[in-house]
Amino acid sequence: MDLPVDEWKSYVLQKWSLLPKSIQVTISTAETLSDIFLHSSSLLQPEDEMFLKRLSRGYLVGKDPNAPLFYREEGNKKFQKKDYMGATVLYSKGVSHSRPNSEDISLCYANRSAALFHLGQYETCLKDIVRAQTHGYPERLQAKLLLRKAECLVTLGRPHEASQTISDLESNFAAKPTLAASQFQVLQRTLCRLKVKVQEKENLTETSPAALTKAFEDVDLREENEQISSTSSSVSLCTDPLKGRYLVATKDILPGELLVKEDAFVSVLNPGEMPPWHRGLESKWDTRATNGDLYCHRCLKHTLAPVPCDGCSYAKYCSQECMQQAWDLYHSIECSLGGLLLTLGVFCHIALRSTLLARFEEAGKVINKLCGEITNRDTCLPESKNLAQILSYDLGGESKNKGKTVETPIPGCDINGKYENNYNAVFSLLPHTGNHSPVHKFLCALSVSALCRQLEAASLQVFTTGLKSSKLKAAAAPVLYPELNIWGVAMLRHMLQLQCNAQAITTIQQTGSEKNLITNSRQVRLATGLFPVVSLLNHSCSPNTSVSFISTIATVRASQQIKKGQEILHCYGPHESRMGVAERRQKLRSQYFFDCNCPPCEREKQRPSQGPGREAFCCHRCRALLQGDDVLSCGSTSCTESVSRDHLVSQLQDLQRQVGMARKLLRNGELERAIQLLLGCRHAAESFLLAEHSVVGEIEDDLAQAYAALGDWEKSAAHLQKSLRVVEVRHGPTSVEMGHELFKLAQIFFNGFAIPEALNTIQQAEKVLLVHYGPWNDEIQELQKMKSCLLDLPPIPVGPNE
Ligand SMILES: [Zn+2]
Ligand SMILES: [Zn+2]
Ligand SMILES: [Zn+2]
Ligand SMILES: [Zn+2]
């Protein structure tokens, strides 16, 4: 997903292997990104571009005129089955394939408004009604839409507007004597009912719907850092030749303290499961919902009612405003490249978007000016100093930042020593040019060249759109080549930077159906972004911070106490509770090019190899730990049991298969059978796995899930507590994993009306989650609702006569 699709990767790999040795050597030994780019670019042939074009066509990103009807009908089917969520998604797909101001789009919006109404999403429903009307909803159907509008307004406690809508409706009837008598009666009855409701509401004091807008803006850094933007004053930026740039605490920091709150410089939504060309689908239109259907492509907010780009079916936004902003900032150029960008992958897309965003900054202006300098050498602009510095830094290769530029003590900082979330800082992130394999550099360079060619073909004025004057555009047009090459080099740099600096933007998604009272949550990757300030944090397999996201904003909180002078550390992925030391170190070396020397790595390195770990097997006779390599023998002196590792591994695989089957039963609602199977699994697990083995925890968790679905809260709680113990041993009592598990337990106690246990667990869950997420997290909000609900319960009557 991050890198280009496999077909293009293997195509480039083959192309590389067929290159003459001398050219391979030239590219492998090229010292600057500029040389790598220019050499590779000169090798891009028309047939390579044709191949890419064929791949790109596999993505349906344009507007297909036949799709709206198809999706509307599929949506109607779901609607009839009362699957309003499913219907909403399909109507959205219909909307995204419709042209603006067409009957298609207005009908899809109107149908979506009906589904949203049933989902209780009244505000959003109203928005869709307005959208249907502005796109030319047919006059003959207006009455239905106006009725829905009035119902929404009544429900939202806006009786005055509802009255207005009702009188609009009445005049609408008066104007249409042709309405069938039966229809007329239905409408009249509904109207009467509504009028009564309106009167009721008018007598009440209006309730404020503003409660919903308590956004994350409230969460703020207590005191902003003067040296590094988006950072609290409790940290400062240091640099040393070994570690590079890093952050340290300038005072004692408490768990939960907000250290960084940074909006992404750039982010690109991960497309999720897109229908690739080779997978046989029964219809060419995909009815599955992906992240791209449910999250705004600009701000990443979850939305049930996206508004599509006017020009393509791929880009969708939470609002007209986001659509307009995205268009102005980058989408006007990306719109026609949808298929190509999906083929070339998210990294390439981010590389393009970063350079497009740079146009709006000082650095971008300077890039434009520098391009101007190349065209007419007589104009030398003083402001270009800044960019000349940046580009010499880049084009000359990262190692030799050759003279005559302004020296700043720390790369990425401005002349005053301030580090900000801007293009200059993004540019300063290391591309590690020397560490990537030659063929990887070739793949990136060739992909970027193909993108540049396409940009050039799509519009000769692409890179000058920042310049409003048509005279300037005309001036720049004939010399696009050198200009594009500079941008190409910048994009190549970004692509290489991303391997170490890309930040996955994640969200917690609730899984399980609406019927399921216990929500399982899982972390999903929504997008990939560049955060120049977060990128300053070094890695530890046992970090002292926790990163979470709201929209495109990353927040970094201390997950434990950090003493003054200690380094602020964050985990790049390989966490000690999820991976063994060898696997972690291998991953960090291959992706991030360093050897991890964090305390857990040092500790685990010292210990004799094949240390027990928590995934170890135990003796089926005496439950002592089994030790050894190929043949394991019991650690207990009084026991002579021994068994081959292969045997145990295949036993574990068998067990996992069975657990998978049980989950399927659970999903299909076959609860009794699922429980039987899971109890069998647990029995099997006890004979050869330690009690803290992750699979044991998963089995207990699934059992809790099944009993909860049956309404047996007591058993459910008992199993979840066992799962909780496994999580605690594996991830630690204050880990975010522990927080999610405690949240589930709180729900179980709450549903089972075990009031003291529920209150106690809510408190524990809140305490853990607060440290990682801060107060506006969904789960914390939910916990608080549960708490106030429990505390507001009337006292239980003691006897019948009281
Ligand atoms: Zn948005
Ligand atoms: Zn578009
Ligand atoms: Zn480590
Ligand atoms: Zn034994």
Side-chain angles (χ1 to χ4, degrees):
M1 202 180 301
D2 286 336
L3 290 176
V5 296
D6 287 341
E7 285 81 352
W8 175 242
K9 264 195 281 189
S10 41
Y11 181 93
V12 175
L13 195 71
Q14 202 194 355
K15 190 177 167 76
W16 172 261
S17 67
L18 296 174
L19 286 178
K21 201 88 207 139
S22 61
I23 297 185
Q24 283 190 3
V25 169
T26 311
I27 294 175
S28 306
T29 56
E31 286 199 18
T32 65
L33 285 175
S34 172
D35 288 343
I36 297 170
F37 178 74
L38 293 175
H39 283 305
S40 308
S41 186
S42 70
L43 297 167
L44 183 71
Q45 301 299 321
E47 62 263 27
D48 306 334
E49 288 186 78
M50 283 309 296
F51 181 78
L52 255 185
K53 237 181 217 139
R54 267 207 308 284
L55 292 178
S56 311
R57 266 188 239 117
Y59 294 97
L60 195 59
V61 290
K63 297 210 187 268
D64 184 334
N66 299 315
L69 180 63
F70 167 80
Y71 283 123
R72 206 167 72 237
E73 285 174 348
E74 290 296 307
N76 291 346
K77 283 183 207 159
K78 297 245 176 196
F79 192 95
Q80 264 143 32
K81 287 186 203 148
K82 296 194 172 20
D83 176 3
Y84 300 117
M85 195 66 88
T88 303
V89 170
L90 291 166
Y91 293 140
S92 294
K93 285 177 186 272
V95 166
S96 66
H97 276 285
S98 310
R99 293 271 159 212
N101 302 312
S102 61
E103 184 161 313
D104 271 336
I105 201 166
S106 70
L107 292 176
C108 286
Y109 275 134
N111 287 11
R112 194 170 73 182
S113 77
L116 290 166
F117 183 85
H118 285 281
L119 288 169
Q121 305 278 319
Y122 303 112
E123 297 276 1
T124 320
C125 170
L126 282 177
K127 279 188 195 144
D128 266 2
I129 291 173
V130 173
R131 285 171 189 147
Q133 286 172 325
T134 52
H135 285 278
Y137 192 65
E139 196 57 41
R140 62 194 147 84
L141 301 168
Q142 283 287 345
K144 241 174 31 181
L145 207 61
L146 286 173
L147 261 181
R148 191 174 303 138
K149 185 174 174 186
E151 290 245 34
C152 275
L153 289 165
V154 169
T155 320
L156 287 169
R158 288 149 66 177
H160 303 296
E161 290 161 77
S163 306
Q164 183 55 50
T165 309
I166 289 173
S167 60
D168 288 353
L169 252 174
E170 281 173 326
S171 53
N172 200 308
F173 288 158
K176 263 196 240 64
T178 48
L179 210 60
S182 61
Q183 263 179 309
F184 190 74
Q185 272 184 350
V186 172
L187 282 172
Q188 282 223 305
R189 263 207 303 276
T190 321
L191 260 183
C192 287
R193 184 168 55 79
L194 269 177
K195 276 186 186 166
V196 173
K197 272 208 208 168
V198 169
Q199 272 163 12
E200 281 170 7
K201 287 273 178 178
E202 269 174 339
N203 297 334
L204 290 169
T205 48
E206 192 140 336
T207 50
S208 146
L212 287 165
T213 52
K214 49 166 171 49
F216 50 92
E217 278 91 18
D218 304 62
V219 184
D220 250 320
L221 296 163
R222 238 181 286 158
E223 207 182 319
E224 182 136 2
N225 195 304
E226 283 175 12
Q227 182 197 16
I228 326 158
S229 71
S230 318
T231 307
S232 102
S233 60
S234 311
V235 304
S236 90
L237 176 58
C238 305
T239 173
D240 87 34
L242 256 169
K243 289 187 192 174
R245 300 174 297 185
Y246 61 99
L247 297 179
V248 291
T250 53
K251 49 184 93 145
D252 290 348
I253 293 170
L254 292 174
E257 189 178 326
L258 184 62
L259 301 176
V260 179
K261 181 190 174 196
E262 184 185 26
D263 199 356
F265 173 78
V266 59
S267 62
V268 168
L269 190 92
N270 281 38
E273 249 182 90
M274 286 290 288
W277 47 92
H278 45 75
R279 247 175 248 169
L281 287 165
E282 64 272 32
S283 154
K284 66 172 164 158
W285 295 304
D286 197 359
T287 52
R288 296 168 299 176
T290 66
N291 283 345
D293 299 311
L294 297 170
Y295 293 89
C296 177
H297 285 224
R298 195 194 77 81
C299 73
L300 305 178
K301 281 191 188 119
H302 183 266
T303 175
L304 278 177
V307 196
C309 166
D310 285 347
C312 65
S313 65
Y314 178 65
K316 305 172 188 88
Y317 305 95
C318 69
S319 61
Q320 196 71 25
E321 292 71 46
C322 265
M323 176 170 90
Q324 193 58 50
Q325 276 189 36
W327 183 263
D328 294 342
L329 290 171
Y330 46 77
H331 192 68
S332 53
I333 288 155
E334 294 176 359
C335 188
S336 64
L337 303 170
L340 181 64
L341 290 169
L342 287 166
T343 309
L344 293 179
V346 170
F347 281 1
C348 203
H349 197 163
I350 294 181
L352 170 65
R353 196 173 280 183
S354 302
T355 47
L356 293 175
L357 288 169
R359 295 175 302 169
F360 300 97
E361 278 190 17
E362 212 46 47
K365 264 190 247 160
V366 194
I367 286 189
N368 272 330
K369 278 178 187 144
L370 191 112
C371 302
E373 269 176 57
I374 293 172
T375 58
N376 14 330
R377 300 220 168 255
D378 48 332
T379 55
C380 192
L381 300 146
E383 295 97 303
S384 60
K385 205 167 60 184
N386 188 13
L387 182 80
Q389 175 196 348
I390 291 177
L391 280 184
S392 77
Y393 179 70
D394 167 58
L395 299 174
E398 66 206 89
S399 50
K400 32 180 189 172
N401 190 354
K402 42 189 171 192
K404 84 170 185 133
T405 56
V406 187
E407 291 288 330
T408 58
I410 299 178
C413 294
D414 65 14
I415 294 159
N416 304 316
K418 181 155 183 170
Y419 188 86
E420 284 182 277
N421 174 311
N422 58 19
Y423 190 66
N424 187 24
V426 166
F427 216 94
S428 75
L429 300 172
L430 293 182
H432 295 282
T433 313
N435 292 106
H436 296 280
S437 71
V439 65
H440 180 71
K441 285 184 273 198
F442 184 60
L443 171 69
C444 292
L446 218 57
S447 301
V448 167
S449 317
L451 186 58
C452 287
R453 297 263 176 99
Q454 197 55 47
L455 281 168
E456 188 186 28
S459 156
L460 275 176
Q461 288 147 1
V462 145
F463 285 122
T464 50
T465 44
L467 309 166
K468 285 285 177 287
S469 142
S470 57
K471 209 169 74 187
L472 276 173
K473 280 185 192 174
V479 283
L480 208 68
Y481 256 113
E483 191 181 327
L484 263 176
N485 281 340
I486 290 175
W487 285 84
V489 177
M491 281 195 256
L492 176 59
R493 181 182 172 91
H494 295 317
M495 259 194 105
L496 296 178
Q497 285 171 334
L498 280 159
Q499 181 168 324
C500 297
N501 291 287
Q503 175 68 53
I505 302 178
T506 56
T507 187
I508 302 295
Q509 235 167 37
Q510 313 279 333
T511 54
S513 60
E514 296 113 85
K515 291 170 276 177
N516 211 337
L517 289 159
I518 306 306
T519 44
N520 249 329
S521 54
R522 83 195 155 112
Q523 202 181 38
V524 292
R525 182 172 186 159
L526 256 194
T528 307
L530 275 173
F531 295 82
V533 175
V534 175
S535 278
L536 294 172
L537 297 170
N538 278 333
H539 164 85
S540 165
C541 302
S542 168
N544 51 18
T545 61
S546 193
V547 183
S548 64
F549 300 88
I550 299 174
S551 176
T552 54
I553 296 172
T555 55
V556 179
R557 286 167 196 281
S559 59
Q560 51 185 260
Q561 199 178 7
I562 304 173
K563 288 250 178 281
K564 183 177 171 180
Q566 274 183 345
E567 185 172 355
I568 314 290
L569 295 158
H570 136 72
C571 176
Y572 293 177
H575 194 285
E576 68 162 331
S577 70
R578 285 187 285 269
M579 267 178 223
V581 62
E583 196 187 344
R584 287 198 319 261
R585 291 171 62 83
Q586 151 65 21
K587 189 161 165 53
L588 291 165
R589 205 173 299 130
S590 65
Q591 188 180 345
Y592 298 95
F593 313 121
F594 72 90
D595 287 310
C596 190
N597 295 314
C598 74
C601 279
E602 288 298 317
R603 215 168 35 235
E604 288 174 57
K605 263 193 308 183
Q606 316 269 296
R607 248 193 276 163
S609 62
Q610 41 93 30
R614 288 153 200 141
E615 300 295 18
F617 300 109
C618 73
C619 171
H620 73 101
R621 280 173 199 256
C622 63
R623 314 226 0 106
L625 195 69
L626 291 174
Q627 290 166 331
D629 288 324
D630 292 341
V631 176
L632 297 149
S633 47
C634 184
S636 158
T637 41
S638 56
C639 177
T640 55
E641 191 66 18
S642 79
V643 59
S644 83
R645 182 176 289 277
D646 288 347
H647 175 74
L648 291 167
V649 168
S650 81
Q651 216 178 329
L652 180 60
Q653 284 167 345
D654 256 5
L655 183 66
Q656 281 169 319
R657 252 195 305 279
Q658 300 225 20
V659 173
M661 269 158 59
R663 285 203 185 133
K664 209 179 247 171
L665 292 172
L666 204 57
R667 272 199 302 275
N668 295 335
E670 295 180 58
L671 304 172
E672 303 287 358
R673 284 185 60 201
I675 289 173
Q676 284 317 309
L677 191 52
L678 285 167
L679 288 172
C681 288
R682 198 182 63 169
H683 186 71
E686 274 167 0
S687 74
F688 72 111
L689 297 178
L690 286 183
E692 298 82 33
H693 197 284
S694 62
V695 173
V696 175
E698 284 163 24
I699 294 171
E700 295 292 354
D701 195 282
D702 290 338
L703 277 166
Q705 205 75 232
Y707 281 115
L710 281 176
D712 189 338
W713 305 107
E714 229 167 289
K715 277 196 180 141
S716 178
H719 285 291
L720 202 75
Q721 277 164 319
K722 286 186 191 154
S723 155
L724 198 69
R725 268 198 294 281
V726 177
V727 172
E728 184 170 354
V729 171
R730 295 177 59 83
H731 299 280
T734 57
S735 62
V736 68
E737 289 84 359
M738 190 71 181
H740 292 306
E741 207 66 9
L742 282 166
F743 175 73
K744 273 196 263 180
L745 186 61
Q747 285 181 309
I748 290 171
F749 283 137
F750 178 84
N751 284 301
F753 279 111
I755 298 169
E757 291 89 342
L759 285 172
N760 179 26
T761 313
I762 288 171
Q763 198 193 356
Q764 286 182 54
E766 245 183 317
K767 204 173 141 202
V768 175
L769 289 171
L770 207 55
V771 166
H772 296 279
Y773 293 123
W776 298 115
N777 171 262
D778 287 343
E779 289 185 341
I780 290 177
Q781 300 278 312
E782 177 94 31
L783 287 167
Q784 281 166 355
K785 270 186 236 155
M786 287 197 262
K787 186 161 65 182
S788 59
C789 177
L790 289 174
L791 294 174
D792 287 348
L793 283 177
I796 301 161
V798 179
N801 295 325
E802 292 208 26

